[in-house]
Coordinates of all heavy atoms in Angstrom, one line a residue:
V1 N 18.6 6.4 52.3 CA 17.3 5.7 52.1 C 17.5 4.4 51.5 O 17.9 4.2 50.5 CB 16.4 6.6 51.2 CG1 15.0 5.9 50.9 CG2 16.1 8.0 51.7
P2 N 17.0 3.4 52.4 CA 17.0 1.9 51.9 C 16.0 1.7 50.8 O 15.0 2.3 50.6 CB 16.6 1.2 53.1 CG 15.8 2.1 53.8 CD 16.3 3.5 53.7
N3 N 16.4 0.9 49.8 CA 15.6 0.5 48.6 C 15.5 -1.1 48.6 O 16.5 -1.6 48.4 CB 16.0 1.1 47.5 CG 15.1 0.9 46.3 OD1 13.9 1.2 46.4 ND2 15.7 0.6 45.2
A4 N 14.3 -1.6 48.4 CA 14.2 -3.0 48.3 C 15.1 -3.7 47.3 O 15.5 -4.8 47.5 CB 12.8 -3.5 48.2
G5 N 15.2 -3.1 46.1 CA 15.9 -3.6 45.0 C 17.3 -3.1 44.9 O 18.0 -3.2 43.8
G6 N 17.9 -2.6 46.0 CA 19.3 -2.1 46.0 C 19.1 -0.6 45.8 O 18.2 0.0 45.7
R7 N 20.4 0.0 45.7 CA 20.5 1.5 45.6 C 19.7 1.9 44.2 O 19.8 1.4 43.2 CB 21.9 1.9 45.4 CG 22.0 3.4 45.3 CD 23.5 3.9 45.3 NE 23.9 5.1 45.1 CZ 23.7 6.1 46.0 NH1 23.4 5.7 47.4 NH2 24.0 7.3 45.9
A8 N 18.9 3.0 44.5 CA 18.0 3.4 43.4 C 18.8 4.4 42.5 O 19.7 5.1 43.0 CB 16.8 4.2 44.0
A9 N 18.5 4.4 41.2 CA 19.1 5.2 40.3 C 19.2 6.8 40.6 O 20.1 7.5 40.5 CB 18.6 5.0 38.8
C10 N 18.0 7.2 41.1 CA 17.9 8.5 41.4 C 18.8 9.0 42.7 O 19.1 10.2 42.7 CB 16.4 8.9 41.9 SG 15.7 7.9 43.1
Q11 N 19.3 8.0 43.4 CA 20.3 8.3 44.5 C 21.6 8.7 44.0 O 22.4 9.2 44.6 CB 20.3 7.2 45.5 CG 19.1 7.0 46.2 CD 19.1 5.9 47.2 OE1 19.1 4.7 46.9 NE2 19.2 6.1 48.5
N12 N 21.9 8.5 42.7 CA 23.2 8.9 42.0 C 23.1 10.2 41.2 O 24.0 10.6 40.6 CB 23.7 7.7 41.2 CG 23.9 6.5 41.9 OD1 24.4 6.5 43.0 ND2 23.6 5.3 41.3
K13 N 21.9 10.8 41.3 CA 21.6 12.0 40.4 C 21.5 13.2 41.2 O 20.5 13.8 41.5 CB 20.4 11.8 39.6 CG 20.4 10.7 38.6 CD 19.1 10.5 37.9 CE 19.1 9.4 36.8 NZ 17.9 9.2 36.0
G14 N 22.8 13.6 41.7 CA 22.8 14.6 42.7 C 22.4 16.1 42.1 O 21.7 16.9 42.7
A15 N 22.8 16.3 40.8 CA 22.3 17.6 40.2 C 20.8 17.7 40.0 O 20.4 18.7 40.3 CB 22.9 17.7 38.9
T16 N 20.2 16.6 39.6 CA 18.7 16.6 39.6 C 18.1 16.9 40.9 O 17.2 17.7 41.0 CB 18.2 15.3 39.0 OG1 18.8 15.1 37.5 CG2 16.7 15.4 38.8
F17 N 18.6 16.2 41.9 CA 18.0 16.4 43.3 C 18.2 17.8 43.7 O 17.3 18.4 44.3 CB 18.8 15.5 44.2 CG 18.4 15.5 45.7 CD1 17.4 14.6 46.1 CD2 18.9 16.4 46.6 CE1 16.9 14.5 47.4 CE2 18.4 16.4 47.9 CZ 17.5 15.5 48.4
K18 N 19.4 18.3 43.4 CA 19.6 19.7 43.8 C 18.6 20.7 43.1 O 18.1 21.6 43.8 CB 21.0 20.2 43.6 CG 21.3 21.6 44.0 CD 22.9 21.9 43.6 CE 23.1 23.5 44.1 NZ 24.6 23.8 43.7
V19 N 18.4 20.6 41.9 CA 17.5 21.4 41.1 C 16.0 21.3 41.7 O 15.4 22.3 41.9 CB 17.4 21.0 39.5 CG1 16.2 21.7 38.9 CG2 18.7 21.5 39.0
M20 N 15.5 20.1 41.8 CA 14.2 19.9 42.3 C 13.9 20.4 43.7 O 13.0 21.1 44.0 CB 13.9 18.3 42.4 CG 13.9 17.8 40.9 SD 12.6 18.5 39.8 CE 13.5 18.6 38.2
R21 N 14.9 20.1 44.6 CA 14.7 20.5 46.0 C 14.8 22.0 46.2 O 14.2 22.6 46.8 CB 15.7 19.8 46.9 CG 15.4 18.2 47.0 CD 14.0 17.9 47.2 NE 13.6 18.3 48.6 CZ 12.4 18.3 49.0 NH1 11.4 17.9 48.4 NH2 12.1 18.7 50.3
T22 N 16.0 22.6 45.5 CA 16.1 24.0 45.5 C 14.9 24.9 45.0 O 14.5 25.9 45.5 CB 17.4 24.4 44.7 OG1 18.5 23.8 45.3 CG2 17.6 26.0 44.9
S23 N 14.4 24.3 43.9 CA 13.2 25.0 43.2 C 12.1 25.0 44.3 O 11.3 26.0 44.4 CB 12.9 24.2 41.9 OG 13.8 24.3 40.9
Q24 N 11.9 23.8 45.0 CA 10.7 23.9 46.0 C 10.8 24.9 47.0 O 10.0 25.6 47.5 CB 10.6 22.4 46.5 CG 9.5 22.4 47.6 CD 9.2 21.1 48.2 OE1 9.2 20.0 47.4 NE2 9.2 20.9 49.5
L25 N 12.1 24.9 47.6 CA 12.5 25.7 48.7 C 12.3 27.3 48.3 O 12.1 28.1 49.2 CB 13.8 25.4 49.3 CG 14.0 24.0 49.9 CD1 15.3 23.8 50.2 CD2 12.9 23.7 51.1
T26 N 12.6 27.6 47.0 CA 12.4 28.9 46.6 C 11.0 29.6 46.8 O 11.0 30.8 47.0 CB 12.6 29.0 45.0 OG1 13.9 28.4 44.8 CG2 12.6 30.3 44.5
A27 N 10.0 28.8 47.0 CA 8.8 29.3 47.2 C 8.3 29.5 48.8 O 7.3 30.0 49.0 CB 7.6 28.3 46.7
W28 N 9.3 29.2 49.5 CA 9.0 29.2 50.9 C 9.5 30.6 51.7 O 10.6 31.3 51.2 CB 9.8 28.0 51.6 CG 9.2 26.7 51.5 CD1 8.3 26.4 50.5 CD2 9.5 25.6 52.1 NE1 8.1 25.1 50.5 CE2 8.9 24.5 51.5 CE3 10.4 25.2 53.2 CZ2 8.9 23.1 52.0 CZ3 10.5 23.9 53.7 CH2 9.7 22.9 53.0
S29 N 8.9 31.0 52.6 CA 9.2 32.1 53.5 C 10.4 31.8 54.2 O 10.8 30.8 54.5 CB 8.1 32.6 54.4 OG 7.8 31.5 55.4
E30 N 11.0 32.9 54.8 CA 12.2 32.7 55.6 C 11.9 31.9 56.9 O 12.7 31.0 57.3 CB 12.8 34.0 55.9 CG 14.2 33.9 56.7 CD 14.9 35.2 56.7 OE1 14.7 36.0 55.9 OE2 15.7 35.5 57.7

């Protein structure tokens, strides 16, 4: 994902990304 100010700090936080996205998908049907 491009960012006007250069690479965003959140793009280096793989563990946080994994928690947030996994948590969201937990609520979804198969």
Side-chain angles (χ1 to χ4, degrees):
V1 173
N3 185 48
R7 186 175 173 81
C10 56
Q11 288 177 297
N12 297 321
K13 297 180 178 179
T16 300
F17 183 92
K18 182 179 179 181
V19 167
M20 295 301 140
R21 299 306 298 173
T22 300
S23 296
Q24 175 175 316
L25 299 176
T26 300
W28 290 14
S29 67
E30 186 170 333

